[in-house]
């Protein structure tokens, strides 16, 4: 059983707007309405704050014309009195009618019939599990005798009385379960609260704490705005710091916390301060009775595998822990400490929580406990917890493993020099086994420091030497780590000469850890793409995604590295459509791995590369505003360049110039592909503005440098853009570069170069259709236009028609404003009617007769309409209108939205 915390808030503020409360409830709303039409009603089930009452009240309000609505509310106080929930209603009856339940039911039926004025009666019962027995009996009998319909709410149907449960089991009422909101619905709710667009980071941070609970989402969002933790910046509501848990949310929780009986409250406090506490340890401090009572009421949950005890909702634990006075917390910590808890038998969450609890109690932390706690915190991405716990260890200075965890946390928080000092301290006090990971950390760190004490190559070399000095079986483990690190750095630097020869074998080695193999495979598929082996790279990326889906729990950093590698591979293989599909799937599985808002910036970048400027800006501008607040990965220069490129595509030259001028430099050396994309956006924006030989030559030069450096993806992208701008040298270089590569993408790029050089409409059209299929829509559009020009010059009607259709399709996908439905709306009523009738098969003669026009005049009008709609003729228009009528029109570009 769950305890439903009473909402001690201003009713208007607690409930929010009705519409906001029903976000994400379309199916539940439909089911509830249907239950009133076909059944005796419904019981709406779900935890506190999930929106049960809002849904019931909305349906009741909408049904007001057909029903006489009577509201009944169960409560603990009313349940102490016979007919307590019905007192307000029975007070209108004569006292003689209240002598026994039969007379009460008979009198109430007459009373409701008189009040209803011929309409059906609808009983809306909130907190049905807290009805007293007689109130429940009367309510159920009204329904069974067809005198009323029922809408009831409860956190758990089985907590209700037997008579109400039997209504459901007999099929008299329908059960409707309300689950948590998904993140898109949470975003819509936050948009309603802020009256604007929240950043992906703001949404994800609130959603991960509220777990999709609408009430908690609303309260947390409002609390952050009030505390200045979510602020409006350039049209986007950005997260400016860690969430605060004071304000309405804390007040709401305190009222629930204070109502818990004292013995049970002690249990709740202990489990809140140390989530995952072993049941055996807990029962050494408290009696079993309050634990059993809380578990029976659904407040506690016990994970059988570890006998670990948690509050059912992690947010409750965080909030309750914040309500416990410091002195009380210290006393409870002392009580647990006196039980001599076996922390090695605890779950990682309990060890970490106990370590943090010890820190807050002002006490030191055992080194072994701290090491396990810090490793768990680093895996979860909580660097600040690592720094706090490690600082409380008296022997930190001589503990290399603990200092290694501390160094990782310092690097995660961008305190790079401090991390470097910590790692060199590890080298001074550690053995070869700890020196290997320290050198690998230093190798990565050296990329980000202007004058590192040890450079990347030297650090990798020393890591390899140290690994060889370790005895088996740890030697092979450390060797694998060194190979994986070498491969990751080779991919970061786009340096094919640095690829370790053992990489392919490691990717197949089932004896290696899952984390190492996944990281190695992510590096390998990127390196394959860098070398132009797009077929193999794409297949490996797809297989890697399936492996990640089936993988066990991984550290956040590993999931981020692998997902980033897969996405980068698809982009480098010119498969933007696959990249967008991956982002959609990955957002659902791995959202917590990307607290920076996983999908927002990559979605924007990929759409920008594809030429969909409007869609790209929908993602890029919020991402940029959030990055202006905090940019831990140094992504801001790329975001500025992408926004400038999008404004150039829209021919908004002032905005383009402003963003190019405001773009900051990278703070440290960026990954090679990030730098390449940034350079491309900057050069391509200038080319769009100037459209002259010098601007095209700049992109050609960038492409040639990329060829020399072995960066095939950058080379073909730059050379293709320059070639389509009229630079024949770029076309020649593109053809030559693609000839050395492999896979469908190489064939596409080679066809583009060859088609432009030979002026062949057939080859150009093949390239245009391939580009469109991969998601490179802008390049496909420009290629199709070139193919149409070439075909027209040869008077080849068939190729001209195909090229026109390819160009039209590309044009419609470039922007939502170009879609057939939006273009139809821009036609006059006469033109729209003419277009629809022509598409449905009416001839020009028939149309002319109906409209008192000559067939030639009809054809002239249709020609202008086809130009406005960007269709090649009646057949294409018929197909597009047919798709729109059947609901298929939006599917062609679903991935781009």
């Amino acid at each position: 059983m769950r305890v439903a915390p009473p909402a001690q808030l201003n009713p208007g503020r607690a409930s929010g707007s009705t519409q906001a409360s029903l976000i994400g409830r379309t199916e539940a709303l439909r089911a509830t309405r249907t239950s009133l039409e076909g059944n005796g009603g419904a019981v709406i089930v779900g935890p506190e704050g999930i929106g049960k009452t809002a849904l019931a009240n909305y349906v009741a309000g909408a049904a007001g014309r057909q029903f006489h609505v009577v509201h009944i509310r169960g409560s603990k106080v009313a349940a102490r009195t016979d007919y307590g929930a019905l007192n307000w209603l029975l007070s209108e009856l004569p006292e003689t009618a209240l002598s026994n339940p039969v007379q009460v039911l008979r009198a109430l039926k007459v009373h409701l019939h008189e009040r209803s004025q011929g309409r059906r009666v609808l009983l809306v019962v909130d907190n049905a599990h807290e009805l007293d027995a007689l109130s429940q009996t009367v309510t159920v009998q009204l329904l069974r005798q067809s005198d009323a319909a029922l809408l009831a709410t409860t956190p758990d149907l089985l907590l209700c009385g037997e008579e109400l449960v039997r209504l459901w089991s007999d099929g008299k009422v329908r059960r409707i379960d309300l689950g948590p909101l998904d993140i898109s619905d949470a975003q819509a709710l936050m948009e309603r609260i802020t009256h604007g667009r929240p950043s992906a980071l703001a949404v994800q941070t609130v959603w991960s704490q509220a777990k999709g609970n609408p009430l908690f989402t609303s309260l947390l969002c409002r609390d952050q705005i009030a505390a200045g933790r979510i602020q409006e910046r350039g049209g986007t509501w950005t997260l400016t710091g860690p969430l605060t848990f004071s304000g309405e949310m804390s007040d709401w929780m305190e009222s629930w916390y204070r109502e818990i009986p004292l013995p049970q409250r002690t249990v709740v406090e202990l489990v809140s301060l140390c989530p995952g506490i072993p049941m055996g340890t807990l029962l050494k401090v408290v009696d079993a009775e309050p634990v059993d009572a809380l578990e029976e009421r659904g407040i506690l949950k016990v994970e059988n595998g570890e006998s670990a005890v948690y509050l059912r909702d992690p947010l409750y634990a965080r909030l309750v822990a914040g309500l416990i006075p410091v002195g009380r917390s210290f006393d409870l910590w002392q009580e647990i400490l006196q039980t001599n808890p076996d922390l090695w038998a605890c779950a990682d969450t309990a060890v970490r929580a106990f370590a943090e609890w010890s820190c807050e109690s002002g006490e030191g932390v055992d080194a072994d406990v701290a090491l396990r706690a810090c490793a768990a915190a680093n895996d979860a991405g909580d660097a600040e917890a690592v720094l706090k716990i490690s600082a409380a260890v008296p022997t930190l200075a001589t503990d290399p493993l603990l200092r290694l965890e501390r160094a990782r946390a310092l690097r995660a928080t961008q305190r790079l020099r401090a991390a470097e000092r910590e790692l060199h301290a590890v080298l001074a006090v550690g053995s070869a086994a700890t020196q290997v990971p320290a050198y690998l950390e230093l190798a990565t760190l050296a990329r980000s420091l202007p004058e590192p004490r040890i450079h990347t190559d030297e650090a990798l070399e020393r890591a390899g030497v140290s690994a060889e000095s370790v005895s088996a079986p740890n030697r092979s483990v450390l060797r694998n780590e060194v190979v994986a690190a070498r491969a990751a750095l080779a991919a970061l630097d786009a340096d094919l000469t640095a690829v370790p020869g053992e990489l392919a074998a490691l990717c197949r080695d089932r004896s290696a850890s899952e984390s190492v193999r996944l990281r190695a495979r992510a590096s390998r598929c990127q390196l394959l793409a860098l070398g132009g082996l797009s077929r193999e790279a794409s297949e490996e990326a797809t297989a890697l995604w399936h492996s990640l889906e089936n993988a066990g729990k991984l550290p956040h950093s590993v999931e981020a590295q692998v997902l980033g590698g897969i996405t980068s591979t698809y982009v480098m293989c010119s498969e933007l459509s696959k990249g967008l599909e991956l982002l959609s799937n990955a957002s659902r599985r791995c959202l917590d791995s990307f607290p920076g808002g996983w999908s927002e910036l990559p979605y924007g970048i990929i759409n920008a590369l594809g030429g969909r400027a409007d869609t790209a800006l929908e993602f890029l501008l919020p991402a940029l505003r959030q990055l202006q607040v905090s940019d831990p990965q140094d992504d801001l220069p790329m975001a500025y360049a992408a926004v400038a490129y999008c404004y150039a595509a829209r021919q908004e030259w002032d905005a383009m110039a402003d963003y190019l001028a405001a773009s900051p430099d990278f703070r440290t050396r960026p990954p090679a592909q990030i730098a390449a994309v940034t350079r491309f956006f900057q050069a391509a924006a200038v080319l769009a503005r100037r459209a002259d030989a010098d601007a095209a030559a700049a992109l050609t030069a960038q492409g040639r440098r990329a060829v020399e450096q072995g960066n095939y993806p950058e080379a073909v992208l730059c050379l293709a853009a320059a070639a389509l701008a009229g630079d024949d040298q770029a076309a020649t270089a593109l053809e030559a570069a693609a000839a050395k590569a492999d896979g469908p993408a190489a064939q596409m790029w080679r066809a583009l170069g060859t088609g432009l050089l030979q002026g062949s409409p057939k080859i150009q059209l093949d390239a245009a259709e391939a580009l469109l299929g991969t998601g490179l829509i802008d390049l496909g559009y420009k290629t199709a236009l070139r193919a149409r020009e070439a075909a027209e010059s040869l008077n080849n009607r068939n190729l001209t028609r195909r090229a026109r259709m390819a160009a039209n399709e590309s044009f419609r996908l470039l922007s939502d404003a170009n879609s057939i439905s939006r273009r139809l709306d821009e036609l006059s009523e006469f033109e729209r009617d003419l277009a629809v009738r022509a598409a449905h098969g009416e001839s020009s003669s028939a149309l002319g007769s109906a409209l008192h026009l000559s067939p030639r005049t009809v054809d002239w009008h249709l020609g202008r309409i086809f130009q406005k709609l960007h269709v090649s003729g009646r057949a294409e228009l018929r197909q597009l209108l047919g798709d729109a009528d059947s609901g298929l029109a939006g599917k062609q570009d679903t991935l781009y939205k």
Side-chain angles (χ1 to χ4, degrees):
M1 166 180 164
R2 296 178 188 267
V3 170
Q8 304 294 327
L9 300 168
N10 178 291
R13 296 192 68 190
S15 62
S17 71
T18 301
Q19 289 183 336
S21 301
L22 294 178
I23 286 174
R25 301 302 186 205
T26 302
E27 181 58 29
L29 184 60
R30 183 199 61 77
T32 307
R33 285 171 167 167
T34 302
S35 71
L36 291 182
E37 297 168 1
N39 299 69
V43 180
I44 304 170
V45 181
E48 53 274 4
I50 205 69
K52 304 182 297 294
T53 302
L55 177 61
N57 288 342
Y58 182 85
V59 172
R65 294 183 180 180
Q66 293 81 30
F67 288 89
H68 171 61
V69 180
V70 178
H71 289 275
I72 300 169
R73 179 177 176 81
S75 69
K76 292 179 181 178
V77 174
R80 299 171 187 161
T81 307
D82 290 345
Y83 304 112
L86 299 177
N87 270 340
W88 71 273
L89 194 59
L90 299 183
S91 65
E92 301 176 2
L93 303 181
E95 290 188 12
T96 55
L98 305 179
S99 58
N100 64 68
V102 175
Q103 289 182 327
V104 169
L105 178 61
R106 184 181 300 120
L108 192 56
K109 287 168 62 175
V110 172
H111 177 69
L112 291 174
H113 178 73
E114 293 173 351
R115 296 275 300 270
S116 66
Q117 299 178 350
R119 293 173 294 171
R120 290 181 66 192
V121 174
L122 174 60
L123 303 178
V124 181
V125 182
D126 202 13
N127 296 336
H129 59 293
E130 292 184 338
L131 289 179
D132 62 275
L134 289 175
S135 292
Q136 183 176 161
T137 296
V138 170
T139 301
V140 169
Q141 289 305 313
L142 286 171
L143 179 64
R144 287 193 175 276
Q145 296 177 23
S146 301
D147 290 298
L150 175 68
L151 277 183
T153 71
T154 179
D156 188 340
L157 181 57
L158 297 181
L159 296 179
C160 299
E162 183 179 347
E163 292 180 272
L164 191 54
V165 174
R166 194 177 297 122
L167 279 179
W168 166 64
S169 62
D170 290 347
K172 298 293 185 182
V173 295
R174 180 175 179 177
R175 172 175 175 154
I176 297 173
D177 290 279
L178 292 188
L181 302 179
D182 63 27
I183 194 163
S184 60
D185 290 329
Q187 177 176 331
L189 179 55
M190 290 179 65
E191 287 175 351
R192 191 70 59 83
I193 293 169
T194 60
H195 303 288
R197 169 75 178 265
S199 71
L201 177 60
V203 173
Q204 189 268 335
T205 304
V206 171
W207 179 81
S208 64
Q209 290 294 332
K211 302 300 182 187
N213 184 296
L215 177 61
F216 296 172
T217 300
S218 299
L219 295 180
L220 277 176
C221 182
R222 290 202 295 262
D223 283 347
Q224 308 321 304
I225 293 171
R229 300 297 174 85
I230 292 180
Q231 295 182 4
E232 193 272 337
R233 185 185 185 96
T236 299
W237 288 83
T238 59
L239 187 70
T240 62
L243 296 189
T244 177
F245 294 92
S246 59
E248 288 184 277
M249 187 74 244
S250 179
D251 294 343
W252 188 92
M253 181 54 60
E254 185 171 10
S255 65
W256 173 81
Y257 167 65
R258 299 300 179 197
E259 285 192 357
I260 300 175
L262 189 57
Q264 295 179 18
R265 191 187 308 171
T266 299
V267 176
V268 169
E269 289 172 338
L270 287 166
V271 177
S272 297
L273 290 165
C274 190
I277 185 172
M279 179 66 81
T281 300
L282 184 63
L283 293 179
K284 291 179 181 178
V285 178
V286 299
D287 294 333
E289 184 178 348
V291 176
D292 292 341
L294 288 169
E295 186 177 3
E296 188 176 312
R297 295 166 61 187
I299 295 175
L300 295 184
K301 65 176 182 179
V302 180
E303 294 190 354
N304 294 328
E306 299 170 332
S307 294
V309 186
Y310 300 86
L311 287 191
R312 186 162 297 277
D313 192 323
L315 181 59
Y316 279 33
R318 177 184 285 272
L319 291 166
V320 169
L323 294 171
I324 302 171
V326 173
R328 170 68 172 164
S329 174
F330 179 77
D331 291 342
L332 291 172
W333 179 78
Q334 290 278 21
E335 289 187 43
I336 292 294
L337 197 63
Q338 290 171 7
T339 68
N340 193 24
D342 182 7
L343 294 175
W344 291 108
C346 297
D348 285 346
T349 52
V351 174
R352 177 183 162 189
F354 186 80
E356 292 189 73
W357 191 7
S358 299
C359 294
E360 290 163 2
S361 299
E363 300 295 323
V365 182
D366 176 77
D368 291 336
V369 172
L371 178 60
R372 189 175 167 197
C374 287
N378 265 332
D379 285 350
D382 191 350
E384 294 298 338
V386 176
L387 299 177
K388 180 173 68 174
I389 294 169
S390 60
V393 177
T395 59
L396 172 64
T398 58
D399 192 322
L401 289 174
L402 191 56
R403 298 194 77 164
L404 187 61
E405 294 294 343
R406 184 175 176 83
R408 289 168 176 156
L410 288 167
R411 182 162 69 88
T413 56
Q414 296 301 303
R415 285 172 264 191
L416 303 184
R417 286 296 180 191
E420 184 184 44
R421 289 193 296 272
E422 204 71 48
L423 289 168
H424 279 281
V426 172
L427 296 177
V429 300
S431 64
T434 55
Q435 287 174 350
V436 173
Y439 277 126
L440 296 180
E441 289 286 339
L442 284 168
T444 302
L445 197 62
R447 296 187 77 262
S448 303
L449 291 172
E451 295 182 4
R453 291 171 60 182
I454 180 172
H455 291 279
T456 297
D457 291 342
E458 184 182 356
L460 289 173
E461 184 66 28
R462 291 187 183 183
V465 172
S466 296
E468 293 303 320
S469 68
V470 176
S471 60
N474 289 337
R475 185 189 303 122
S476 62
V477 173
L478 294 175
R479 280 176 179 168
N480 290 340
E481 290 287 353
V482 173
V483 172
R486 285 184 178 274
L489 287 165
L492 279 176
D493 291 332
D495 185 358
L496 296 179
T497 65
V499 179
E502 309 93 333
L503 178 59
L506 175 57
C507 292
R508 298 189 300 268
D509 186 359
R510 292 288 177 180
S511 66
S513 72
E514 185 175 49
S515 171
V516 168
R517 277 191 296 110
L518 289 175
R519 286 186 285 128
R521 290 173 64 188
S523 299
R524 182 171 182 269
C525 61
Q526 292 176 82
L527 292 164
L528 289 169
L530 281 165
L533 302 178
S534 59
R535 187 193 306 276
E536 187 179 356
S538 178
E539 290 173 353
E540 172 60 23
T542 300
L544 179 56
W545 166 243
H546 293 318
S547 297
L548 183 61
E549 284 187 302
N550 298 317
K553 184 174 178 58
L554 296 168
H556 281 30
S557 59
V558 173
E559 281 200 339
Q561 182 180 338
V562 175
L563 273 173
I566 300 171
T567 307
S568 179
T569 299
Y570 282 140
V571 172
M572 289 191 286
C573 290
S574 306
E575 295 184 342
L576 304 192
S577 299
K578 284 188 176 181
L580 290 170
E581 184 178 1
L582 170 73
L583 290 175
S584 177
N585 293 332
S587 294
R588 291 190 288 271
R589 181 195 185 276
C590 307
L591 193 64
D592 287 344
S593 299
F594 302 94
W598 159 237
S599 62
E600 198 166 47
L601 183 59
Y603 257 123
I605 295 297
I606 294 178
N607 274 288
L609 287 170
R612 284 180 57 89
D614 294 345
T615 302
L617 287 172
E618 291 180 16
F619 294 99
L620 287 172
L621 289 173
L624 185 143
R625 300 305 177 208
Q626 184 61 64
L627 289 170
Q628 288 172 331
V629 176
S630 175
D631 181 23
Q633 302 301 320
D634 204 12
D635 291 324
L636 196 55
M638 179 175 64
Y640 266 100
V643 170
Y645 174 73
C646 290
Y647 279 123
R650 288 163 39 137
Q651 298 185 354
E652 297 182 31
W653 309 120
D654 289 343
M656 179 207 80
D658 289 343
Y659 278 93
L660 283 179
S663 178
D665 293 330
F666 287 105
R667 298 192 306 268
T668 60
R669 181 155 61 103
Q673 293 308 110
I674 298 296
V677 168
T678 303
R679 290 193 298 267
F680 169 77
F681 283 142
Q682 291 168 338
V686 173
L687 177 61
R689 178 68 179 95
R690 287 166 44 186
D692 58 20
D694 289 341
L699 266 177
T700 302
Q702 181 181 340
R704 288 185 183 279
R705 284 193 298 272
V707 170
E708 294 170 358
Q709 295 164 359
N711 192 330
Y712 171 80
E714 180 184 7
V716 293
L717 182 63
C718 295
L719 293 172
L724 285 168
D727 190 330
D728 289 342
Q729 292 185 6
T732 301
L734 176 63
E735 183 183 39
K740 298 176 182 178
D742 174 60
Q747 296 171 11
M748 173 184 73
W749 295 121
R750 188 174 185 181
L752 176 58
T754 302
L756 292 174
L757 290 171
Q758 296 181 3
S760 168
K762 172 65 170 63
I763 300 176
Q764 291 176 16
L765 182 56
D766 289 342
E769 291 173 343
L771 287 162
L772 180 59
T774 63
L776 288 160
I777 301 167
D778 183 50
L779 294 180
Y781 176 58
K782 292 174 180 176
T783 306
L785 292 179
R786 293 287 292 269
R788 189 185 69 186
E789 292 174 5
E792 288 174 344
S793 69
L794 298 176
N795 292 320
N796 189 323
R797 297 183 63 183
N798 180 50
L799 285 178
T800 299
R801 181 184 61 81
R802 281 184 55 199
R804 185 181 295 116
M805 290 184 67
N808 289 338
E809 183 179 0
S810 303
F811 178 81
R812 288 191 296 272
L813 287 174
L814 282 173
S815 172
D816 292 339
N818 299 344
S819 66
I820 193 69
S821 58
R822 295 277 288 274
R823 289 272 163 173
L824 278 172
D825 290 341
E826 294 175 2
L827 298 179
S828 67
E829 186 175 349
F830 165 77
E831 290 174 321
R832 189 161 49 249
D833 178 60
L834 186 62
V836 171
R837 292 171 69 174
H840 288 160
E842 291 190 47
S843 67
S844 296
S845 298
L847 288 169
S849 297
L851 300 171
H852 306 291
L853 299 172
S854 69
R856 180 173 295 180
T857 303
V858 170
D859 288 338
W860 181 84
H861 281 295
L862 286 174
R864 293 189 63 221
I865 291 169
F866 294 157
Q867 287 181 344
K868 291 180 180 181
L869 297 178
H870 283 263
V871 297
S872 58
R874 293 171 185 257
E876 187 178 6
L877 180 59
R878 183 183 305 116
Q879 178 186 351
L880 290 170
L881 290 179
D883 287 348
D885 290 342
S886 61
L888 299 176
K891 289 190 177 180
Q892 62 182 341
D893 63 343
T894 298
L895 290 174
Y896 304 100
K897 293 185 179 179

